[in-house]
Amino acid sequence: MQRIKTVDEMRAAVQSLRGQPAAAGNGKIHGARSIGLVPTMGALHEGHLSLVRAAKDRCDAVVVSIFVNPTQFGPREDYDRYPRNVDADCALLEREGVDAVFMPDVMEMYPPGTTTYVDVGPIGERLDGASRPGHFRGVATVVAKLFHIVEPDRAFFGQKDAAQVAVLRRMVRDLHFRTELVVCPIVREDDGLAMSSRNGYLLPDEHEQALVLHKTLRVIQSRFAEGERSAERLLSAGLFVMAYEPTVRIDYLKVVNPKTLEDVSEVEGRALVVLAAFVGGTRLIDNVLLEEPFLVNVIPAQA
Ligand code: PAF
């Protein structure tokens, strides 16, 4: 596995990975090998590894980026204390058979005097974009940079960051990127907590309290399965569960359109229930997709 620090080296590595003979049937482009990119901020866990495995299944070569991106953190957020353990991360990636890991430093990604950013418009100001102003501008900017450097055929993201996925889909469409976004299911701990690099901040009793996020979403999901379609009533069922953990402070709990992240009042077709909450000083997010059961048209048999 190559460990790469600079943009030039990364571009050269991609060129050489593309030039090697491709495995049959693995999404080739113009006879070259296909490249999958898994963008991460490191502190890797099973959620990240599920993205790596999906990339290995669907692409000839896999590049993982590890970069704690300063522009997506607010001034009072956890940029400085965000967990960094590049050697342990590389050992995991090596075991997964990753071809190259791109771990630039901040100066490499944001050369001094950088003034160009990607602004995705109003969608970037919803949900985490409302609570963390500038967050999605930072995410879109760094992902656009990574797409330009690696030029992946496919990039793999987790459904846990559903708002990030919506923002990046918009960016890919608006800026005509050729990269296909592949979204992989949320990976959970055995107790239901969605995996996150920030779970490591939780004290044991906070970990217990944090389970209320998943419990809340599950109750909303079962009300929906029972036929409830009013967002207001679905949310009040959720708030009732959240009230069992009064120390957990809700940032947002909403039913939104998965593409636009706008609130919906009635679930028609599909909707996303999104939840962000502070457990102690740690902000966690989780979500669940509500989908109408597929309606089959029954065609009467010919007499
Ligand atoms: O999801 C993340 O870990 C980050 O937001 C990403 C996509 C790697 C950009 O820094």
Side-chain angles (χ1 to χ4, degrees):
M1 185 179 78
Q2 302 177 65
R3 297 184 185 202
I4 297 168
K5 301 281 287 180
T6 70
V7 172
D8 287 348
E9 283 165 348
M10 189 66 245
R11 288 203 163 120
V14 166
Q15 219 176 357
S16 126
L17 287 171
R18 277 213 193 277
Q20 290 166 19
N26 227 357
K28 285 177 254 171
I29 293 201
H30 309 310
R33 292 174 100 215
S34 58
I35 307 274
L37 171 68
V38 182
T40 81
M41 298 205 300
L44 303 181
H45 50 68
E46 275 300 315
H48 296 112
L49 298 185
S50 75
L51 305 181
V52 171
R53 288 169 197 148
K56 292 272 305 168
D57 280 351
R58 301 192 52 177
C59 304
D60 294 309
V62 175
V63 175
V64 175
S65 62
I66 298 180
F67 179 64
V68 185
N69 173 36
T71 63
Q72 69 188 76
F73 289 81
R76 277 177 297 282
E77 294 184 2
D78 56 342
Y79 175 70
D80 288 332
R81 71 175 188 123
Y82 196 85
R84 290 162 173 87
N85 196 344
V86 167
D87 288 334
D89 289 346
C90 285
L92 287 174
L93 296 176
E94 188 113 46
R95 224 173 296 150
E96 296 293 329
V98 165
D99 295 87
V101 54
F102 181 45
M103 26 190 211
D105 63 24
V106 174
M107 291 291 216
E108 186 70 14
M109 288 302 271
Y110 295 96
T114 294
T115 56
T116 306
Y117 290 86
V118 177
D119 184 340
V120 289
I123 193 172
E125 285 155 26
R126 297 184 186 130
L127 304 181
D128 310 277
S131 320
R132 306 177 64 191
H135 171 67
F136 285 129
R137 179 183 188 251
V139 170
T141 300
V142 80
V143 172
K145 284 170 181 270
L146 291 168
F147 283 7
H148 282 302
I149 297 163
V150 179
E151 297 188 293
D153 300 284
R154 302 185 185 87
F156 296 77
F157 295 91
Q159 170 65 18
K160 185 177 79 76
D161 299 306
Q164 169 170 281
V165 166
V167 164
L168 293 176
R169 279 198 195 289
R170 178 66 59 93
M171 179 191 81
V172 163
R173 193 202 65 170
D174 289 356
L175 298 185
H176 309 280
F177 279 103
R178 287 167 49 150
T179 301
E180 177 197 348
L181 299 192
V182 182
V183 181
C184 301
I186 299 177
V187 179
R188 298 182 178 281
E189 311 271 0
D190 290 343
D191 57 17
L193 185 64
M195 288 203 182
S196 161
S197 304
R198 291 189 169 97
N199 289 354
Y201 296 153
L202 299 171
L203 302 169
D205 58 328
E206 290 176 338
H207 187 115
E208 272 305 304
Q209 293 157 11
L211 301 182
V212 76
L213 274 77
H214 179 49
K215 287 180 193 155
T216 298
L217 294 173
R218 278 187 31 201
V219 164
I220 294 178
Q221 202 174 26
S222 53
R223 292 287 180 284
F224 177 77
E226 288 157 15
E228 184 59 77
R229 294 294 179 266
S230 146
E232 196 183 333
R233 284 194 289 271
L234 289 166
L235 293 175
S236 32
L239 290 172
F240 186 79
V241 181
M242 287 298 289
Y244 278 92
E245 283 295 353
T247 56
V248 176
R249 185 165 60 81
I250 299 175
D251 180 4
Y252 59 71
L253 173 61
K254 284 168 176 274
V255 183
V256 299
N257 176 314
K259 283 196 182 140
T260 64
L261 307 181
E262 285 170 309
D263 289 2
V264 299
S265 52
E266 202 72 19
V267 183
E268 286 164 16
R270 329 170 82 198
L272 195 62
V273 186
V274 284
L275 173 53
F278 289 92
V279 183
T282 306
R283 185 175 180 279
L284 299 176
I285 57 173
D286 201 348
N287 67 81
V288 69
L289 193 64
L290 304 179
E291 259 180 310
E292 295 278 10
F294 192 66
L295 297 174
V296 181
N297 284 326
V298 181
I299 302 166
Q302 299 259 313

